[in-house]
Amino acid sequence: MNQNKLFNRTRWQLAISYAAVMGLILSLLGFGVYKAIAHAHWVAIDRELESVAGTLHDSLELKLQQPGRLEPIVNELLPNLRLIGVQGIKEQLPSRHILSAINQGYYYIRLFDYSGKLIATAGDYPEELPAGFNSQYWQTITDTKGNVYHQISVALHTQTQQDWGYFQVGRSLQDFNDYLSTVKWVLKLGWPTALILIGFSSWLLTGLAMKPIYSSYRQIQQFTADAAHELRTPLAASQATVESALLTPQLDEKEAREILGTIDRQNRRLTQLVADLLLLARMDNQAIRDRPQLCCLNDLVSDLVEELAALAIASKVALTSEVRVKQQLNVGGNSDQLYRLVANLIVNAIQYTPAGGKVTVILDCNHIEAIIQVQDTGIGIAAADLERIFDRFYRVNSHRSRNTGGSGLGLAIAQTIARAHRGTLSARSELGSGSTFLLRLPL
């Protein structure tokens, strides 16, 4: 197939098309996966911030007594508490509030009075953050170094439900961005790798998919060449006969009849060949009709043996039948086609059996199918030819087939009829020891 430019070009086009489509699908899938991962982590960060802010909010409001003023006991809740404008807090106690998220170093806390003035910070507070206050619930801000932070703002009240001010809980998004960068690199490296594998796989798969197409194409090419060759022979013979007659000045009645006889034989051969080709074309395109006839194989075998007895006698071949079943074997199908199938097998056996030989037609069955065997003691078929005897126009002995009027379509027609009846046709043979054709039809 690689030597055929048309199929090779088509294979490349299919492989590239498959790879392009799969690449587009992978791109969309990778983009969707990236967005899903980013969204899932963003939601997790929001929930974590809300959880930390809610815990601190409830704890702080229980200890705030006056608006805008931090009580010393707040030191126990917030790690690294620093008052803005104050050098430090005397007797600062270590935080005993177990809040692992803040202690991890990602979080910071800012406290504002009700007017929006920054009062204190806590946690791992970055000094580069803008000092302005924004009361929006969710905020994403960037410091002077380009680092991104995500924070939440919550209103604070005193123990007496007075407005105390606001506090913000935020965290750095550096770990989040690093994780997304890793995901991006994985997708960037994985996409071309996957595309290369897809391209290679597409090339192999298109080759496998096109093998039966290429095989059919080769069969059509061979069939066309063989049909043209078979049609050319009788046409050339007829043309030569006509030209010879035209070149003869005067033809007597005997010569005219010989010429007409030659033309008649070639026309009959052409007519039979065309009829066989039409039959094969019809059977390739149509199945057995929905309501097949009931065919009795016992009658079919006995009728054929009786009708072909004259041909066997003329060829000095003994033609016999052997029925190994007592009951009638009936199969569904087209009786005319089945008749032609078995007739082709018997005629072939007679023609390729030397004088003094024997042809036996055996009818048998098992539980699910009827079996017809046509055995002969003829010249046999070589193992190399046995695989191709059912090909159209294939003849083991071309010269002998032409002498007997064969065109190489008999076994091809028989095989096609067998398949149309959901049956099988096979052959066993040894060169010089005869052949056996085995037909199996479902009961």
Side-chain angles (χ1 to χ4, degrees):
M1 185 170 66
N2 292 331
Q3 297 177 352
N4 189 289
K5 293 183 179 180
L6 173 63
F7 279 86
N8 200 26
R9 183 170 64 252
T10 304
R11 185 180 179 184
W12 273 111
Q13 291 174 348
L14 286 175
I16 294 173
S17 299
Y18 292 158
V21 171
M22 289 302 299
L24 178 60
I25 294 174
L26 283 178
S27 300
L28 296 176
L29 183 61
F31 180 77
V33 169
Y34 175 79
K35 286 297 183 181
I37 292 174
H39 177 72
H41 279 71
W42 191 260
V43 170
I45 288 174
D46 283 352
R47 289 178 179 175
E48 193 173 290
L49 276 173
E50 282 185 323
S51 176
V52 172
T55 301
L56 291 177
H57 176 271
D58 296 342
S59 300
L60 284 174
E61 284 195 341
L62 294 176
K63 296 175 174 55
L64 297 177
Q65 298 179 1
Q66 297 182 10
R69 177 182 174 183
L70 286 174
E71 308 300 330
I73 196 173
V74 173
N75 291 329
E76 300 180 7
L77 293 174
L78 304 178
N80 302 328
L81 181 66
R82 295 177 295 278
L83 296 177
I84 301 302
V86 180
Q87 296 294 330
I89 299 179
K90 295 181 180 180
E91 299 180 0
Q92 180 174 348
L93 299 176
S95 172
R96 288 177 292 180
H97 190 280
I98 302 175
L99 200 60
S100 60
I102 294 180
N103 293 326
Q104 286 176 356
Y106 295 117
Y107 285 83
Y108 64 86
I109 298 171
R110 296 198 293 185
L111 296 166
F112 296 87
D113 61 17
Y114 199 73
S115 64
K117 179 182 178 181
L118 181 63
I119 297 177
T121 63
D124 189 21
Y125 180 73
E127 298 295 337
E128 294 82 8
L129 280 179
F133 172 71
N134 191 331
S135 61
Q136 287 183 351
Y137 188 68
W138 289 110
Q139 302 164 47
T140 301
I141 57 177
T142 306
D143 63 13
T144 55
K145 294 183 178 181
N147 298 316
V148 183
Y149 300 86
H150 192 51
Q151 66 183 21
I152 184 173
S153 300
V154 183
L156 278 176
H157 302 85
T158 64
Q159 296 175 351
T160 58
Q161 297 301 314
Q162 291 180 294
D163 293 332
W164 186 92
Y166 302 91
F167 89 105
Q168 292 177 338
V169 179
R171 61 159 291 170
S172 170
L173 295 180
Q174 185 63 42
D175 60 327
F176 174 73
N177 292 331
D178 290 344
Y179 178 78
L180 290 185
S181 297
T182 302
V183 173
K184 285 181 181 178
W185 275 108
V186 170
L187 293 175
K188 287 179 179 179
L189 293 176
W191 186 84
T193 303
L195 199 59
I196 292 173
L197 294 176
I198 289 172
F200 180 72
S201 302
S202 298
W203 173 256
L204 294 179
L205 291 176
T206 50
L208 291 175
M210 292 185 67
K211 272 187 177 181
I213 301 175
Y214 183 72
S215 178
S216 299
Y217 171 75
R218 293 288 297 172
Q219 289 179 358
I220 292 173
Q221 276 189 324
Q222 186 65 39
F223 177 80
T224 304
D226 291 340
H229 178 74
E230 293 295 332
L231 291 170
R232 182 180 61 184
T233 301
L235 287 174
S238 298
Q239 182 67 26
T241 303
V242 172
E243 289 178 353
S244 175
L246 292 175
L247 292 175
T248 303
Q250 292 181 349
L251 289 175
D252 56 26
E253 183 178 352
K254 182 180 179 181
E255 290 176 334
R257 286 186 176 277
E258 289 178 354
I259 292 173
L260 291 176
T262 301
I263 296 174
D264 179 65
R265 287 194 301 273
Q266 299 302 331
N267 283 342
R268 288 178 183 274
R269 185 177 176 185
L270 279 174
T271 302
Q272 184 61 44
L273 180 59
V274 172
D276 290 344
L277 291 175
L278 289 175
L279 175 63
L280 284 171
R282 285 197 301 268
M283 296 192 67
D284 284 340
N285 296 325
Q286 297 177 1
I288 300 298
R289 46 188 167 183
D290 296 336
R291 295 183 179 179
Q293 304 168 358
L294 196 61
C295 305
C296 179
L297 296 182
N298 305 66
D299 296 338
L300 185 144
V301 169
S302 61
D303 291 345
L304 278 171
V305 170
E306 181 180 350
E307 292 174 12
L308 296 175
L311 176 63
I313 293 172
S315 301
K316 298 180 182 180
V317 174
L319 176 60
T320 60
S321 63
E322 181 181 338
V323 180
R324 297 177 180 177
V325 292
K326 297 181 180 179
Q327 73 275 19
Q328 296 288 322
L329 294 182
N330 296 314
V331 297
N334 186 300
S335 58
D336 293 335
Q337 292 181 4
L338 291 175
Y339 183 92
R340 179 164 188 177
L341 188 164
V342 181
N344 281 352
L345 299 180
I346 298 175
V347 169
N348 270 0
I350 294 173
Q351 289 178 346
Y352 287 95
T353 300
K358 183 180 180 181
V359 175
T360 305
V361 183
I362 302 172
L363 178 62
D364 199 356
C365 74
N366 55 30
H367 295 295
I368 59 174
E369 58 190 3
I371 303 171
I372 297 178
Q373 298 184 58
V374 179
Q375 298 177 349
D376 65 64
T377 58
I379 61 176
I381 305 171
D385 295 319
L386 197 59
E387 299 178 356
R388 298 191 57 193
I389 57 174
F390 295 109
D391 293 349
R392 298 174 183 183
F393 294 112
Y394 184 79
R395 287 174 294 204
V396 176
N397 190 327
S398 179
H399 175 70
R400 177 165 180 167
S401 296
R402 292 187 189 280
N403 291 337
T404 56
S407 62
L409 292 176
L411 289 179
I413 291 174
Q415 181 73 283
T416 304
I417 294 173
R419 289 175 178 172
H421 287 77
R422 296 177 290 112
T424 59
L425 178 60
S426 58
R428 301 191 304 267
S429 182
E430 292 183 8
L431 197 62
S433 300
S435 306
T436 299
F437 285 83
L438 188 65
L439 172 65
R440 297 177 180 271
L441 296 170
L443 291 173

